[in-house]
Amino acid sequence: MLNNEKISKFGSLRQLLMFASLFLLFLFFSLASPNFLTFENVIAIILATCVNGMLALGVTFVIITGGIDLSIGTVMTLSAVMSGVFITFWRLPVIIGVIGGIATGMLCGFINGIVISKMKLPPFIATLGMMMIAKGLALVISGCRPIYYSDAPSFNEIAMGSLINKIIPSADIPNAILIFILSIIIAYILLTKTALGRYDFAIGSNEEAARLSGLNVDKWKTIIYILCGMFVGMGGVLMASRLNSAQPALGQGYELDAIAAVVIGGTSLRGGEGSIIGTVIGALIMSTLTNGLRILSVPQEWQIVVSGIIVIGAVYLDIIRRTER
């Protein structure tokens, strides 16, 4: 009990420090450039967080189990491409395209879960294979060409329309941000208020103990990978809607950004610890950093270097904390 209280206090302190880090980033870039702290730029930061944040929400559940999913970037692309196939090639209604894109992500998550839980392949290898399969399928299905949604203008409205603007004309907030906020609430409830969340932490803390206590670990692992695939599929649809096209090679590298956001947010790569709030702050820190450095005209190469240093620092802090416990 004492150890749990210690973990809880440390988690709260860590989230407070992350909030402080995000605030200091905003303060620094606001002082460095008058173009940073404007309504349009803040909306741009949050909008840029939506897709990466959606992937990060999904992979948070996986990493808490002690697993990893390297396929989220290319599965996101495949989901976007499949939406394009349903809507543009097959002329099906937009809603069918949206469901098809999300279902594609869930199917990939299901395959990942089965391969990891039943075939006992390490998550790193299983999802690496899925990453290559999804990348290849996206290129084959699209013919290595972007799929445009020119004949379905309502598809672009999913992410870039504004329901709030119709109520409050001065608040031009894209729907993508509302969808992201709704997804955060759903992910938070699932992780903190449901059996799935409890089993997620139990598997990550001690998988063998969870199995001996009667938990069907294989089933819940598969469900968690399907859940991750659902968020990834939603990210793919959002990305395609935002760009009004499905680019067959767009998702490459997104998996690293999403995993980095999760790690910066305090989720341990060894499993058993993590939070949705931490992941959202981690994703916001990544977007704020990228946006601020871009406004300051820092070359993209150096932006990547800075992000890498932050990820190493976050993992090192996690190692120190576990060593001291």
Side-chain angles (χ1 to χ4, degrees):
M1 179 65 75
L2 186 62
N3 196 38
N4 287 338
E5 288 178 0
K6 190 176 177 181
I7 292 172
S8 177
K9 284 181 181 176
F10 190 90
S12 300
L13 178 62
R14 186 162 183 163
Q15 285 188 5
L16 194 63
L17 287 173
M18 286 189 295
F19 265 122
S21 301
L22 183 60
F23 174 76
L24 289 174
L25 271 179
F26 260 82
L27 184 64
F28 171 76
F29 287 123
S30 299
L31 294 174
S33 171
N35 299 322
F36 180 79
L37 196 59
T38 62
F39 177 79
E40 291 77 13
N41 194 51
V42 171
I43 291 296
I45 291 172
I46 301 174
L47 191 58
T49 307
C50 289
V51 172
N52 186 39
M54 198 71 84
L55 269 59
L57 290 178
V59 83
T60 298
F61 288 89
V62 169
I63 292 178
I64 289 175
T65 66
I68 195 77
D69 191 344
L70 299 177
S71 67
I72 51 177
T74 53
V75 169
M76 179 189 77
T77 304
L78 182 60
S79 298
V81 166
M82 287 309 298
S83 278
V85 169
F86 290 130
I87 296 171
T88 303
F89 291 174
W90 295 352
R91 307 285 180 183
L92 293 173
V94 168
I95 185 65
I96 300 295
V98 171
I99 293 172
I102 296 172
T104 300
M106 294 175 74
L107 176 62
C108 293
F110 173 73
I111 295 170
N112 277 337
I114 290 294
V115 171
I116 290 166
S117 60
K118 296 296 184 186
M119 297 173 64
K120 307 301 179 189
L121 259 68
F124 183 91
I125 301 299
T127 58
L128 181 66
M130 177 55 75
M131 180 175 77
M132 299 167 74
I133 292 169
K135 181 180 178 181
L137 285 175
L139 291 170
V140 169
I141 293 170
S142 67
C144 302
R145 293 188 298 274
I147 301 174
Y148 294 99
Y149 297 85
S150 307
D151 296 333
S154 61
F155 185 71
N156 183 245
E157 293 290 310
I158 293 173
M160 300 311 293
S162 178
L163 287 175
I164 292 182
N165 182 254
K166 292 177 181 174
I167 302 170
I168 308 172
S170 58
D172 193 15
I173 299 174
N175 292 336
I177 295 177
L178 298 184
I179 295 170
F180 182 45
I181 292 172
L182 184 63
S183 301
I184 292 169
I185 294 171
I186 292 171
Y188 179 82
I189 292 172
L190 285 173
L191 190 62
T192 60
K193 308 293 183 187
T194 68
L196 185 144
R198 290 196 298 276
Y199 297 157
D200 197 356
F201 284 108
I203 293 170
S205 298
N206 191 326
E207 184 174 328
E208 193 54 33
R211 198 185 301 276
L212 290 173
S213 66
L215 185 65
N216 189 337
V217 172
D218 291 350
K219 183 185 86 172
W220 284 103
K221 265 190 174 180
T222 303
I223 291 173
I224 287 166
Y225 276 92
I226 293 173
L227 180 67
C228 178
M230 184 191 77
F231 282 109
V232 171
M234 291 168 64
V237 171
L238 268 188
M239 174 62 89
S241 173
R242 185 181 165 192
L243 300 177
N244 210 23
S245 66
Q247 309 284 337
L250 186 67
Q252 200 166 355
Y254 267 79
E255 60 277 349
L256 300 181
D257 289 343
I259 292 170
V262 175
V263 172
I264 292 171
T267 298
S268 174
L269 286 172
R270 298 184 183 187
E273 293 178 38
S275 72
I276 294 301
I277 293 175
T279 293
V280 173
I281 298 173
L284 282 170
I285 287 175
M286 293 281 292
S287 300
T288 304
L289 195 64
T290 302
N291 182 281
L293 293 175
R294 192 174 297 157
I295 284 180
L296 296 180
S297 301
V298 175
Q300 189 176 6
E301 297 83 357
W302 284 107
Q303 296 175 26
I304 298 171
V305 171
V306 172
S307 298
I309 292 171
I310 290 176
V311 171
I312 290 173
V315 175
Y316 183 60
L317 283 175
D318 182 54
I319 292 172
I320 292 175
R321 179 168 57 85
R322 284 181 173 266
T323 304
E324 290 179 346
R325 193 183 301 168

